[in-house]
Amino acid sequence: MYRNIACAFDGSDCSRRALDVALHLARADQQKLWMIFIEEMPRYPGAPSETNEELERADAIFDKLRDEALEAGKKYGVEVVAEKRVGHPAQALVRYVKDAGIDLLVMGHTGHSKLWGTFLGTTADKVVSHATCSVHVVR
Amino acid sequence: MQNVWFVASAWMGIAFLASLISIRLGVSVALIEILLGVVAGNTFHIQSNEWVSFLATFGAGLLTFLAGAEIDPESLRSHLKQSMAIGVIAFLIPFLGVLAFAYWVAGWTYHEALIAGIALSTTSVAVVYAVLVESGLNRTELGKMILAACFINDFGTVLALGVFFANFNRWMVLFVVLMAVTLYFLPSCTRAIIKSLGATRVSEPEVKFLFLVLFFLGGLAKVANSEAVLPAYLAGLVVAGVFLNDRVLVNRMRSIAFTMLTPFYFIKAGLYVSLPALIPTAGLVMVLLGIKMLTKFTGVWPLSYGFGIPSRERMYTTMLMSTGLTFGTISALFGLENHIISQAQYTVLVTVVILSAVVPTLIAERFFMPDTGAEAAREKHAQPPVRAANE
């Protein structure tokens, strides 16, 4: 049904459930799965070092999550291709699905900031509103 | 409060809160520390003292040193003509434009107007770098050229700050001579210390050596009535090549800076912003922000056009060169602490500086972001991306 399936994975509980769903769907459609991780940089930093340090930290997290996704992919017999982008999570995801020609994006309903999402809307809310592809939000 | 431990805990409490808020909002800790400083100064009337001022001053110096050390000397050399032209113009026109407005229209004295011109002539290398990383442009020739231009722009700012208010006497001659000799030998000495003693010793000799040099040059600058950020920035520039090959040293120095020094500087910078003074001067703030952006546009846009930078990238470059934060606040705080400007004028300048970190960035990202994503996608279809798959 879907040719290019991607899963937004940030290591939160909800995104782990989303990864499971995405792997099920990819296996059913006999497709590989694109795992996308967004590195969020601090806005308006006071020194370039601030950005560099956050990048290094985010890179280490990405390496860990990529290994986790690859392991999960092996269990399902699905090839997982991991990619990272830098930016505001919602904006970067919307841009990613457009650039990469993704048909379906699977993502968790809330990431690491549940409290904040309650007030300002979650990343999922924003992606559903602006993405150019179908979005499967996992609760 | 006299108890030094309680005073320290109050400041570190603000710094800790700033870190928590910064992580939650995804906004730079520097900006949050300034804003919490504003709140602390206006509601709890927290004051700075001598040792806080020293930590803050050294924090600003170390931040400046690290900013200078972040430059890639090779990148600067390969884009020297374009970045030199854009950097010099991006400093000079806003400096003169704001100086002229503050002096002739706003009625500030010459020295007050000088501080305004210097504070608003800056370009924030840090903000520009973050935006370039986000757009992926930091790896392109355009991105490297923009960054190099920002360094040159900021060099203009620290030079102006170090020269305009200095005493031109025998102490200045001594300062210049000793600084030149120190800077000449600094890269080779730093390399030799790292090579002979090792870069990972617990006693951290290389960090202590660099601090020694910064303290010494700062002391010389003070004697000549100049500013410690000038030698700090120059020291950073000359050791940039060493830092490029020794990331451990950079990481250690920035850990020290961000934990123990820069919070004191940024919180202190916020403490002196007077909210009551902001209300009657809100119009002036908007006008100065407009002048900063307009003068940057006047200088950078035609040059970018002349260098054949495409239309969208040209506007993007111009907007990014209009940002400012660290050197803007350093300049304004220099003016306040040396009794050159009043607290109301400091409030105006710091507010404009903070707005200049936010407004041009938002405009650049919203309307002029170069289409690097589509380019990446085209590459992706030709060859699939990061193949981290089951292989």
Side-chain angles (χ1 to χ4, degrees), chain B residues 154-179:
Chain B
D154 280 349
F155 178 66
T157 302
V158 292
L159 190 65
L161 203 58
V163 167
F164 276 114
F165 299 96
N167 293 333
F168 288 91
N169 51 22
R170 62 200 166 96
W171 293 111
M172 174 54 93
V173 175
L174 183 73
F175 167 52
V176 171
V177 170
L178 286 178
M179 182 171 70

mmCIF file of all heavy atoms in Angstrom, chain B residues 154-179:
data_model
loop_
_atom_site.group_PDB
_atom_site.id
_atom_site.type_symbol
_atom_site.label_atom_id
_atom_site.label_comp_id
_atom_site.label_asym_id
_atom_site.label_seq_id
_atom_site.Cartn_x
_atom_site.Cartn_y
_atom_site.Cartn_z
ATOM 1 N N ASP B 154 33.048 40.890 13.603
ATOM 2 C CA ASP B 154 33.225 40.964 15.051
ATOM 3 C C ASP B 154 34.618 41.455 15.432
ATOM 4 O O ASP B 154 34.793 42.085 16.480
ATOM 5 C CB ASP B 154 32.960 39.596 15.692
ATOM 6 C CG ASP B 154 31.473 39.357 15.852
ATOM 7 O OD1 ASP B 154 30.700 40.309 15.667
ATOM 8 O OD2 ASP B 154 31.081 38.215 16.151
ATOM 9 N N PHE B 155 35.590 41.163 14.576
ATOM 10 C CA PHE B 155 36.930 41.694 14.836
ATOM 11 C C PHE B 155 36.875 43.221 14.800
ATOM 12 O O PHE B 155 37.491 43.900 15.625
ATOM 13 C CB PHE B 155 37.936 41.161 13.813
ATOM 14 C CG PHE B 155 39.309 41.714 14.024
ATOM 15 C CD1 PHE B 155 40.026 41.386 15.167
ATOM 16 C CD2 PHE B 155 39.874 42.583 13.105
ATOM 17 C CE1 PHE B 155 41.288 41.921 15.391
ATOM 18 C CE2 PHE B 155 41.133 43.115 13.326
ATOM 19 C CZ PHE B 155 41.837 42.783 14.471
ATOM 20 N N GLY B 156 36.113 43.756 13.847
ATOM 21 C CA GLY B 156 35.919 45.213 13.774
ATOM 22 C C GLY B 156 35.332 45.736 15.073
ATOM 23 O O GLY B 156 35.757 46.768 15.613
ATOM 24 N N THR B 157 34.354 45.005 15.609
ATOM 25 C CA THR B 157 33.689 45.428 16.846
ATOM 26 C C THR B 157 34.664 45.431 18.026
ATOM 27 O O THR B 157 34.743 46.420 18.759
ATOM 28 C CB THR B 157 32.505 44.485 17.154
ATOM 29 O OG1 THR B 157 31.616 44.512 16.050
ATOM 30 C CG2 THR B 157 31.777 44.900 18.412
ATOM 31 N N VAL B 158 35.413 44.322 18.219
ATOM 32 C CA VAL B 158 36.317 44.290 19.377
ATOM 33 C C VAL B 158 37.462 45.282 19.211
ATOM 34 O O VAL B 158 37.937 45.862 20.187
ATOM 35 C CB VAL B 158 36.875 42.864 19.670
ATOM 36 C CG1 VAL B 158 35.797 41.925 20.142
ATOM 37 C CG2 VAL B 158 37.610 42.273 18.520
ATOM 38 N N LEU B 159 37.872 45.498 17.968
ATOM 39 C CA LEU B 159 38.933 46.476 17.705
ATOM 40 C C LEU B 159 38.446 47.877 18.087
ATOM 41 O O LEU B 159 39.149 48.636 18.766
ATOM 42 C CB LEU B 159 39.331 46.428 16.229
ATOM 43 C CG LEU B 159 40.581 47.216 15.843
ATOM 44 C CD1 LEU B 159 41.820 46.623 16.509
ATOM 45 C CD2 LEU B 159 40.778 47.222 14.330
ATOM 46 N N ALA B 160 37.215 48.194 17.669
ATOM 47 C CA ALA B 160 36.656 49.514 17.992
ATOM 48 C C ALA B 160 36.534 49.688 19.498
ATOM 49 O O ALA B 160 36.879 50.742 20.051
ATOM 50 C CB ALA B 160 35.286 49.667 17.329
ATOM 51 N N LEU B 161 36.070 48.637 20.171
ATOM 52 C CA LEU B 161 35.910 48.697 21.624
ATOM 53 C C LEU B 161 37.259 48.857 22.319
ATOM 54 O O LEU B 161 37.376 49.571 23.325
ATOM 55 C CB LEU B 161 35.233 47.397 22.096
ATOM 56 C CG LEU B 161 34.486 47.427 23.420
ATOM 57 C CD1 LEU B 161 33.394 48.474 23.420
ATOM 58 C CD2 LEU B 161 33.887 46.056 23.712
ATOM 59 N N GLY B 162 38.280 48.195 21.758
ATOM 60 C CA GLY B 162 39.603 48.246 22.370
ATOM 61 C C GLY B 162 40.352 49.526 22.057
ATOM 62 O O GLY B 162 41.270 49.898 22.792
ATOM 63 N N VAL B 163 40.000 50.207 20.985
ATOM 64 C CA VAL B 163 40.787 51.364 20.536
ATOM 65 C C VAL B 163 40.145 52.696 20.918
ATOM 66 O O VAL B 163 40.808 53.600 21.421
ATOM 67 C CB VAL B 163 41.005 51.289 19.003
ATOM 68 C CG1 VAL B 163 41.530 52.610 18.467
ATOM 69 C CG2 VAL B 163 41.964 50.154 18.666
ATOM 70 N N PHE B 164 38.795 52.820 20.702
ATOM 71 C CA PHE B 164 38.159 54.132 20.858
ATOM 72 C C PHE B 164 38.241 54.702 22.272
ATOM 73 O O PHE B 164 38.235 55.906 22.463
ATOM 74 C CB PHE B 164 36.693 54.086 20.414
ATOM 75 C CG PHE B 164 36.542 54.268 18.931
ATOM 76 C CD1 PHE B 164 36.063 53.234 18.137
ATOM 77 C CD2 PHE B 164 36.887 55.460 18.321
ATOM 78 C CE1 PHE B 164 35.930 53.394 16.758
ATOM 79 C CE2 PHE B 164 36.758 55.629 16.951
ATOM 80 C CZ PHE B 164 36.282 54.594 16.166
ATOM 81 N N PHE B 165 38.257 53.799 23.269
ATOM 82 C CA PHE B 165 38.234 54.317 24.642
ATOM 83 C C PHE B 165 39.577 54.149 25.353
ATOM 84 O O PHE B 165 39.675 54.354 26.554
ATOM 85 C CB PHE B 165 37.109 53.611 25.425
ATOM 86 C CG PHE B 165 35.766 53.874 24.822
ATOM 87 C CD1 PHE B 165 35.197 52.965 23.937
ATOM 88 C CD2 PHE B 165 35.085 55.050 25.093
ATOM 89 C CE1 PHE B 165 33.966 53.207 23.362
ATOM 90 C CE2 PHE B 165 33.858 55.302 24.521
ATOM 91 C CZ PHE B 165 33.296 54.385 23.649
ATOM 92 N N ALA B 166 40.584 53.734 24.599
ATOM 93 C CA ALA B 166 41.900 53.505 25.206
ATOM 94 C C ALA B 166 42.666 54.813 25.376
ATOM 95 O O ALA B 166 42.361 55.813 24.723
ATOM 96 C CB ALA B 166 42.700 52.547 24.325
ATOM 97 N N ASN B 167 43.645 54.768 26.276
ATOM 98 C CA ASN B 167 44.546 55.921 26.427
ATOM 99 C C ASN B 167 45.747 55.698 25.519
ATOM 100 O O ASN B 167 46.417 54.664 25.634
ATOM 101 C CB ASN B 167 45.058 56.027 27.872
ATOM 102 C CG ASN B 167 43.932 56.369 28.831
ATOM 103 O OD1 ASN B 167 42.946 56.984 28.443
ATOM 104 N ND2 ASN B 167 44.070 55.940 30.075
ATOM 105 N N PHE B 168 46.007 56.645 24.650
ATOM 106 C CA PHE B 168 47.160 56.474 23.752
ATOM 107 C C PHE B 168 48.394 57.106 24.399
ATOM 108 O O PHE B 168 48.746 58.242 24.135
ATOM 109 C CB PHE B 168 46.847 57.069 22.378
ATOM 110 C CG PHE B 168 45.858 56.225 21.631
ATOM 111 C CD1 PHE B 168 44.497 56.473 21.731
ATOM 112 C CD2 PHE B 168 46.279 55.142 20.864
ATOM 113 C CE1 PHE B 168 43.580 55.670 21.082
ATOM 114 C CE2 PHE B 168 45.368 54.337 20.218
ATOM 115 C CZ PHE B 168 44.019 54.599 20.326
ATOM 116 N N ASN B 169 49.006 56.318 25.272
ATOM 117 C CA ASN B 169 50.192 56.782 25.976
ATOM 118 C C ASN B 169 51.229 55.654 25.997
ATOM 119 O O ASN B 169 51.097 54.677 25.266
ATOM 120 C CB ASN B 169 49.835 57.231 27.404
ATOM 121 C CG ASN B 169 49.043 56.149 28.122
ATOM 122 O OD1 ASN B 169 49.123 54.970 27.741
ATOM 123 N ND2 ASN B 169 48.285 56.533 29.122
ATOM 124 N N ARG B 170 52.221 55.734 26.861
ATOM 125 C CA ARG B 170 53.280 54.713 26.872
ATOM 126 C C ARG B 170 52.729 53.347 27.270
ATOM 127 O O ARG B 170 53.236 52.307 26.875
ATOM 128 C CB ARG B 170 54.433 55.142 27.775
ATOM 129 C CG ARG B 170 54.072 55.332 29.214
ATOM 130 C CD ARG B 170 55.090 56.204 29.937
ATOM 131 N NE ARG B 170 54.554 56.632 31.207
ATOM 132 C CZ ARG B 170 54.806 56.016 32.364
ATOM 133 N NH1 ARG B 170 55.592 54.967 32.398
ATOM 134 N NH2 ARG B 170 54.284 56.447 33.482
ATOM 135 N N TRP B 171 51.644 53.359 28.083
ATOM 136 C CA TRP B 171 51.047 52.074 28.481
ATOM 137 C C TRP B 171 50.425 51.372 27.281
ATOM 138 O O TRP B 171 50.459 50.144 27.183
ATOM 139 C CB TRP B 171 49.993 52.290 29.577
ATOM 140 C CG TRP B 171 50.589 52.749 30.861
ATOM 141 C CD1 TRP B 171 50.466 53.976 31.446
ATOM 142 C CD2 TRP B 171 51.472 52.004 31.710
ATOM 143 N NE1 TRP B 171 51.190 54.048 32.603
ATOM 144 C CE2 TRP B 171 51.825 52.850 32.795
ATOM 145 C CE3 TRP B 171 52.016 50.717 31.661
ATOM 146 C CZ2 TRP B 171 52.673 52.442 33.823
ATOM 147 C CZ3 TRP B 171 52.857 50.300 32.683
ATOM 148 C CH2 TRP B 171 53.179 51.153 33.743
ATOM 149 N N MET B 172 49.858 52.166 26.394
ATOM 150 C CA MET B 172 49.271 51.589 25.178
ATOM 151 C C MET B 172 50.381 50.970 24.309
ATOM 152 O O MET B 172 50.212 49.881 23.760
ATOM 153 C CB MET B 172 48.497 52.676 24.403
ATOM 154 C CG MET B 172 47.963 52.242 23.057
ATOM 155 S SD MET B 172 46.950 50.757 23.128
ATOM 156 C CE MET B 172 45.326 51.435 23.301
ATOM 157 N N VAL B 173 51.503 51.676 24.213
ATOM 158 C CA VAL B 173 52.635 51.155 23.425
ATOM 159 C C VAL B 173 53.105 49.832 24.022
ATOM 160 O O VAL B 173 53.304 48.834 23.321
ATOM 161 C CB VAL B 173 53.801 52.181 23.393
ATOM 162 C CG1 VAL B 173 55.011 51.599 22.674
ATOM 163 C CG2 VAL B 173 53.344 53.469 22.724
ATOM 164 N N LEU B 174 53.239 49.835 25.357
ATOM 165 C CA LEU B 174 53.659 48.606 26.047
ATOM 166 C C LEU B 174 52.661 47.475 25.793
ATOM 167 O O LEU B 174 53.044 46.332 25.505
ATOM 168 C CB LEU B 174 53.781 48.898 27.553
ATOM 169 C CG LEU B 174 54.271 47.742 28.406
ATOM 170 C CD1 LEU B 174 55.765 47.510 28.180
ATOM 171 C CD2 LEU B 174 54.006 48.001 29.889
ATOM 172 N N PHE B 175 51.370 47.803 25.897
ATOM 173 C CA PHE B 175 50.303 46.813 25.676
ATOM 174 C C PHE B 175 50.411 46.224 24.271
ATOM 175 O O PHE B 175 50.411 44.998 24.092
ATOM 176 C CB PHE B 175 48.937 47.499 25.894
ATOM 177 C CG PHE B 175 47.747 46.714 25.413
ATOM 178 C CD1 PHE B 175 47.553 45.386 25.800
ATOM 179 C CD2 PHE B 175 46.783 47.310 24.594
ATOM 180 C CE1 PHE B 175 46.442 44.668 25.370
ATOM 181 C CE2 PHE B 175 45.678 46.602 24.158
ATOM 182 C CZ PHE B 175 45.498 45.273 24.542
ATOM 183 N N VAL B 176 50.537 47.092 23.279
ATOM 184 C CA VAL B 176 50.574 46.631 21.888
ATOM 185 C C VAL B 176 51.814 45.759 21.639
ATOM 186 O O VAL B 176 51.711 44.679 21.040
ATOM 187 C CB VAL B 176 50.536 47.833 20.912
ATOM 188 C CG1 VAL B 176 50.794 47.388 19.482
ATOM 189 C CG2 VAL B 176 49.189 48.543 21.000
ATOM 190 N N VAL B 177 52.966 46.214 22.141
ATOM 191 C CA VAL B 177 54.208 45.467 21.900
ATOM 192 C C VAL B 177 54.153 44.091 22.576
ATOM 193 O O VAL B 177 54.403 43.060 21.952
ATOM 194 C CB VAL B 177 55.434 46.278 22.415
ATOM 195 C CG1 VAL B 177 56.695 45.427 22.389
ATOM 196 C CG2 VAL B 177 55.619 47.528 21.553
ATOM 197 N N LEU B 178 53.789 44.087 23.869
ATOM 198 C CA LEU B 178 53.751 42.810 24.590
ATOM 199 C C LEU B 178 52.683 41.880 24.035
ATOM 200 O O LEU B 178 52.879 40.662 23.957
ATOM 201 C CB LEU B 178 53.517 43.051 26.088
ATOM 202 C CG LEU B 178 54.720 43.606 26.849
ATOM 203 C CD1 LEU B 178 54.373 43.848 28.318
ATOM 204 C CD2 LEU B 178 55.900 42.647 26.765
ATOM 205 N N MET B 179 51.560 42.463 23.613
ATOM 206 C CA MET B 179 50.497 41.631 23.029
ATOM 207 C C MET B 179 50.991 41.016 21.717
ATOM 208 O O MET B 179 50.784 39.816 21.476
ATOM 209 C CB MET B 179 49.230 42.460 22.774
ATOM 210 C CG MET B 179 48.084 41.629 22.216
ATOM 211 S SD MET B 179 46.517 42.527 22.166
ATOM 212 C CE MET B 179 46.826 43.708 20.872
#
